Structure formats: C-alpha cells, structure tokens
Amino acid sequence: MTTMPLSNLRQHLQSSFDDLPGEAARLFHGRGHCYEGLSAVNVDWFEPVVWVVVYGEVEPDFLDGLQRMLIELAQRNERVVCVSLQQRNKGKASQWVIYGDMPATCRAQEGGASFELNFSANQNIGFFLDARPGRQWLQQAAEGKRVLNLFSYTCSFSVAALRGGAANVVNIDMAKSALASGQRNHALNGLDSSCVRFLPHDIFRSMGKLQKLGPYDLVVIDPPSRQKGSFEAEKDYARLLKRLPSMLAPNAQVLACLNAPHLGGEFLPQLFAEYLPALHPVERLPQRQDFPERDLDCCLKMQLFSSAT
Ligand SMILES: C[S@@+](CC[C@H](N)C(=O)[O-])C[C@H]1O[C@@H](n2cnc3c(N)ncnc32)[C@H](O)[C@@H]1O
C-alpha cells in the first residue's frame, strides 16, 4: 500500500536532489493533491537544509520508508547538510533531524534577499515560500509608496517593499518575537529601518494608531485563516475591510491574501464587493510553479484590488 506512493515520490525527488536550486524552493508539494497517496508530504529546500513536513497521521511504514529514502537521497549531494522532518498532527508539531546536523544559522534565499529561519519553532519556521508572487508584486509596485503590512509576521513583505523603494512601511503583528525576527530581516538585507515601524499589537485594537500613521498607498493583508481569539477569516476579514477606507490614499492598492482551503476563490472578491466596494478586483496573482495544485480554490489566494479608475 505504501510502496507505490513512495517510489513515485522517490522518482520525483531524485531529479530535484541531483539538481538542487540556488534559491529557496519547494521540491515536492504533496499538499496540492496532485499525487496519489502523497498528499501528506511537502519537501522544501533552504540551502543547506531539506525541510520535510508530514501532515496528519501516516502509517509507521510510510514514515520509516520516507526517512530512509530521504537519507539515501541526501547522501547523493554534498550541498545537503541536514534533513529535518516535522510531523504536524491535531494542531501539534514535533520535529527531528534525520540526516546530518542542523546549522547554527540558516536563511531562505529569494530573489537576492535573505530571511532568517528558525527550524526549532513550534510550527512555522519564519518564512512562507508560497507568498513569493505577492512579495514580487509588492517589490515592483512599491517605489515611493507608503505601505501598511497587516499581519506582518517576520516582515517578508516589508523587506520586499523596501527593496522596491517604498517611502515607508508600517508593520503590525501581535507576535513580538516574529517582529523581532522581522527587524533582523531588515538588517540582514542592509535596509534602513528608520522609515519602518514595527508595531507589536492586536490589529483590531490599533485602528486609531494605524489611521494616524496613514494614509497608505499600498496595503498588504495576510492573516491566518483561523487563530483562536485573534482572527477568524469568516467574520474578521469583513470587520477589517470596513475599517480600511479611512486609511487609504487616493488610488490605493490592496493585496489581500488568504490561505483557507474551506473558503473558495470567490470569498475575497465577494467580501470586497460588499464591504469595500470602492476597490475593484484587478487580478489574482498566479501560484508558484513549484506548488502544483489540483484545486486552486484550496490554496493560498493573493488577490489584488485597486481604487484607481
Ligand atoms: C499568515 S501569518 C502572516 C505571514 C506574513 N504576512 C509573511 O509575510 O510571512 C499570520 C500572522 O498574523 C498574526 N495575527 C493573527 N491575528 C492577529 C491580530 N488580531 N492582530 C495582529 N496580528 C495577528 C499572527 O501573529 C501571525 O504572525
């Protein structure tokens, strides 16, 4: 039962391991449900670390076979210094190194920028690969713009905006440690932080402050789909949109993101039509090519809205 999917995975990974990319990349995207029997597995490359995430309960045989295969593949390429595996089940994550040693510091490289990674963190490692199209769009749109980065986490959007020449950026996230990592990410990329704010607050309790620091030409909204006590997309996205108009400059653009498989591709456009009709949908940014998806409704949506006519 488990041999077949594993041999398919091996075939897929072998060519990736033989020709590892120069940048952070997804080597295998099982979560996109394009490969039978392999939906539980994603494999990422953050040189020199291979980072594997296994979702839910899987057969012990499958997990053993997977680990043996990854060790064997890692031995083929000296650029692989460590393979670490995380298993996520029922909201909990455990991780262990299955090959080599975890380097003391590790960074994601993307388009000439670096982002620090924390493989010992509870679940997320400090960087979301799938948001690259959003960062790319922001970087090319940011010249001279005032940017608000809502749910900034480790501030990858802020780094992209400043690299694109943004006039200033306001980052806000209730996780202080994520913002501290965000500050280090700015330093790592040689960016001047004097025009950047890092606000460690709950967004819904900081509307007055955000409004005072505005108006903004570009707003990024990248919330969790559900985080107990702090955000629930079904009700809180609308609550947020209702508050935005007072913060927007003329011709403002909003990059609205959502990674909620249970809320389809129409969720964001419908929400904007109802709660922020002054902004019209421009385009949905394309997926990364290394994230093949069977159903585009179920993956990260990055939708661009604009008030320009
Ligand atoms: C999906 S992550 C954001 C990823 C980020 N945009 C990036 O570029 O990597 C969601 C973030 O929302 C933050 N968050 C959730 N509810 C919040 C709230 N009510 N106010 C402020 N931050 C919140 C979490 O702390 C978390 O860092």
Side-chain angles (χ1 to χ4, degrees), residues 242-296:
K242 282 193 224 164
R243 303 297 301 272
L244 271 192
S246 60
M247 301 185 199
L248 300 179
N251 297 327
Q253 288 172 291
V254 174
L255 178 62
C257 310
L258 187 61
N259 196 351
H262 60 292
L263 300 172
E266 279 312 301
F267 177 76
L268 289 173
Q270 277 169 3
L271 220 54
F272 273 72
E274 189 168 350
Y275 296 102
L276 195 46
L279 269 71
H280 56 90
V282 177
E283 62 169 319
R284 179 174 167 182
L285 301 184
Q287 292 296 114
R288 286 178 66 123
Q289 294 207 332
D290 51 359
F291 280 63
E293 293 288 342
R294 191 176 64 190
D295 181 355
L296 285 175

Side-chain angles (χ1 to χ4, degrees), residues 162-233:
L162 289 165
R163 292 183 82 230
N168 54 60
V169 184
V170 175
N171 293 292
I172 180 163
D173 196 292
M174 59 195 284
K176 268 193 186 149
S177 59
L179 278 183
S181 170
Q183 278 172 298
R184 291 192 294 275
N185 278 333
H186 287 74
L188 208 55
N189 289 286
L191 296 166
D192 172 14
S193 288
S194 62
C195 57
V196 188
R197 305 291 291 254
F198 301 92
L199 306 178
H201 306 307
D202 186 319
I203 288 166
F204 292 101
R205 297 191 180 156
S206 313
M207 291 297 178
K209 181 156 198 160
L210 292 176
Q211 195 177 336
K212 259 192 218 145
L213 292 170
Y216 308 98
D217 306 296
L218 296 178
V219 179
V220 177
I221 312 175
D222 185 19
S225 59
R226 191 168 291 150
Q227 191 171 314
K228 208 168 170 219
S230 48
F231 192 85
E232 209 167 313

Side-chain angles (χ1 to χ4, degrees), residues 116-136:
E116 70 171 29
L117 299 170
N118 179 3
F119 289 110
S120 60
N122 181 32
Q123 195 171 93
N124 295 319
I125 58 172
F127 186 71
F128 290 102
L129 268 178
D130 54 354
R132 179 175 192 164
R135 286 185 288 268
Q136 273 176 325

